[in-house]
Amino acid sequence: MGVTIHFEGTALTQNQHKIIEFIETFARNHSWNINEKDSARIVVTPHPKSESIAISLNNKQKFSGSVKTAFATSDVHKQVVKLFYELKPMMRNLSIEDESGYWLEYVDHISKINKNSITKFPMLTKKDLITTELVLPSHATAMDHEFWKTTPNYMDPFLNIAAIRDVMGYDLMNGSHVLTAVELKEMLESEGFTLNPPEEWIEDIEYLIHLATLWAWRQSSRMKATNVRRNKCVVFGWALARGCHGFGGGFINQLHRRAQIAIDTLKSEEGKANPIRSLEIFYGLSDFCGFKKEEKKV
């Protein structure tokens, strides 16, 4: 597999910078070399035995070119195809001619499985990580300190737990401090959820599920307070726990089954995710479950 991919496209005007940033992030996540980058041009090399991909947008937002992957591995060719497929939503039009035929095979495959796949990911950078110290109140318990101040060392998770936990904690801060287990339980119960007492929670797993449930509930504040919405929030928490803790078992409903398949598929395709990629998957899962990522007010 892998000869030459010819490409030609026109970007949506508002997406010029997003496309360059997306390619840079994609390259870093796949350990590609970044040769050049400015506001309208980026050059990346997927593999030492592959040609470089040069994307240069002109004043009409158009670009074209080709990349030969014949001497690299078939996995590299597949990654290049995946890059162009994920660029499609940012394009006015995109034409791909893949001499191996894999582009058409990939598009056909994705169109059949996207009901069980996370396909929309935001483009994030280091500035999206929470770097400020999250403070616990004086009444926090040992359980709270264990959850917020440490990361489980008994497992090798797919997603970066600390990055995801801290973003949710920051978004849900109660005044100047992050939520305690007791506060989390009280807030969820005030919204119609039913929880066991914190002392009965299953280590960090249930803490994370409940935190994610409340985060999803707040994220979906424009939706009516129905049991359908509550179930979606719980599904989000359980599917996230699948990625962070490998937590499985039975399925709550069909959405839960699909979300877990989507997480497992990403794990098998990408391997362990770094903190930035973990947040992209976190927000992608949120969108998959029906909660759009809301931009933070400046």
Side-chain angles (χ1 to χ4, degrees):
M1 174 173 303
V3 276
T4 301
I5 297 174
H6 305 271
F7 53 87
E8 181 176 344
T10 304
L12 292 167
T13 303
Q14 69 271 24
N15 286 335
Q16 174 181 318
H17 299 301
K18 289 183 179 180
I19 287 171
I20 300 301
E21 294 298 327
F22 179 85
I23 295 172
E24 179 185 25
T25 300
F26 187 96
R28 293 190 189 283
N29 287 337
H30 291 82
S31 300
W32 294 3
N33 188 55
I34 300 172
N35 308 93
E36 301 176 34
K37 184 206 167 190
D38 60 35
S39 60
R41 174 176 168 82
I42 187 167
V43 180
V44 296
T45 304
H47 188 275
K49 293 185 178 180
S50 165
E51 289 182 346
S52 297
I53 303 170
I55 303 293
S56 298
L57 291 96
N58 63 22
N59 57 4
K60 294 184 178 180
Q61 311 302 317
K62 293 184 176 182
F63 65 86
S64 63
S66 64
V67 54
K68 182 178 290 185
T69 64
F71 301 107
T73 65
S74 61
D75 284 344
V76 170
H77 187 87
K78 291 177 180 179
Q79 288 174 4
V80 174
V81 166
K82 183 179 179 182
L83 167 66
F84 283 110
Y85 183 83
E86 293 186 0
L87 283 175
K88 283 184 65 179
M90 291 176 260
M91 308 296 299
R92 189 181 308 280
N93 57 67
L94 177 65
S95 175
I96 301 291
E97 182 183 337
D98 180 0
E99 294 177 1
S100 74
Y102 182 70
W103 167 260
L104 295 177
E105 178 185 335
Y106 183 81
V107 171
D108 183 60
H109 176 66
I110 288 295
S111 66
K112 291 179 180 178
I113 68 168
N114 60 13
K115 287 187 177 181
N116 294 328
S117 298
I118 299 172
T119 57
K120 296 180 181 179
F121 302 97
M123 293 173 289
L124 305 180
T125 62
K126 288 183 179 179
K127 66 180 179 61
D128 294 289
L129 298 172
I130 300 302
T131 56
T132 55
E133 182 183 1
L134 298 181
V135 179
L136 279 162
S138 58
H139 57 270
T141 65
M143 178 185 185
D144 297 315
H145 283 276
E146 180 71 20
F147 177 76
W148 288 106
K149 299 300 183 181
T150 65
T151 300
N153 58 10
Y154 57 84
M155 53 181 287
D156 186 23
F158 162 45
L159 300 178
N160 186 284
I161 296 174
I164 291 173
R165 175 201 65 197
D166 290 353
V167 160
M168 292 192 295
Y170 184 83
D171 287 347
L172 295 172
M173 283 182 69
N174 185 8
S176 61
H177 63 79
V178 291
L179 297 175
T180 65
V182 171
E183 292 168 338
L184 180 56
K185 179 177 184 294
E186 290 174 350
M187 288 184 179
L188 280 171
E189 289 183 335
S190 71
E191 301 292 355
F193 294 86
T194 302
L195 278 70
N196 292 328
E199 56 268 23
E200 296 180 12
W201 292 0
I202 305 172
E203 298 179 332
D204 292 342
I205 299 170
E206 205 161 349
Y207 207 133
L208 182 104
I209 290 173
H210 296 325
L211 185 70
T213 300
L214 181 60
W215 183 89
W217 183 260
R218 295 280 179 83
Q219 191 76 2
S220 59
S221 59
R222 295 178 183 177
M223 299 169 64
K224 292 182 179 180
T226 63
N227 284 332
V228 171
R229 177 183 164 199
R230 290 187 185 89
N231 287 338
K232 281 187 176 183
C233 295
V234 173
V235 163
F236 174 75
W238 278 63
L240 188 64
R242 178 70 171 184
C244 290
H245 291 268
F247 194 55
F251 299 115
I252 299 170
N253 53 30
Q254 184 63 16
L255 176 61
H256 183 202
R257 178 180 177 278
R258 290 173 48 226
Q260 183 165 308
I261 290 173
I263 289 293
D264 289 348
T265 299
L266 283 173
K267 181 178 180 180
S268 66
E269 290 178 347
E270 300 187 11
K272 189 172 183 178
N274 63 34
I276 295 172
R277 181 57 176 164
S278 293
L279 286 187
E280 291 175 344
I281 293 171
F282 167 73
Y283 289 120
L285 177 64
S286 170
D287 182 89
F288 183 91
C289 291
F291 317 121
K292 301 291 183 182
K293 181 179 183 296
E294 295 182 0
E295 298 297 328
K296 291 184 173 63
K297 295 181 180 179
V298 179

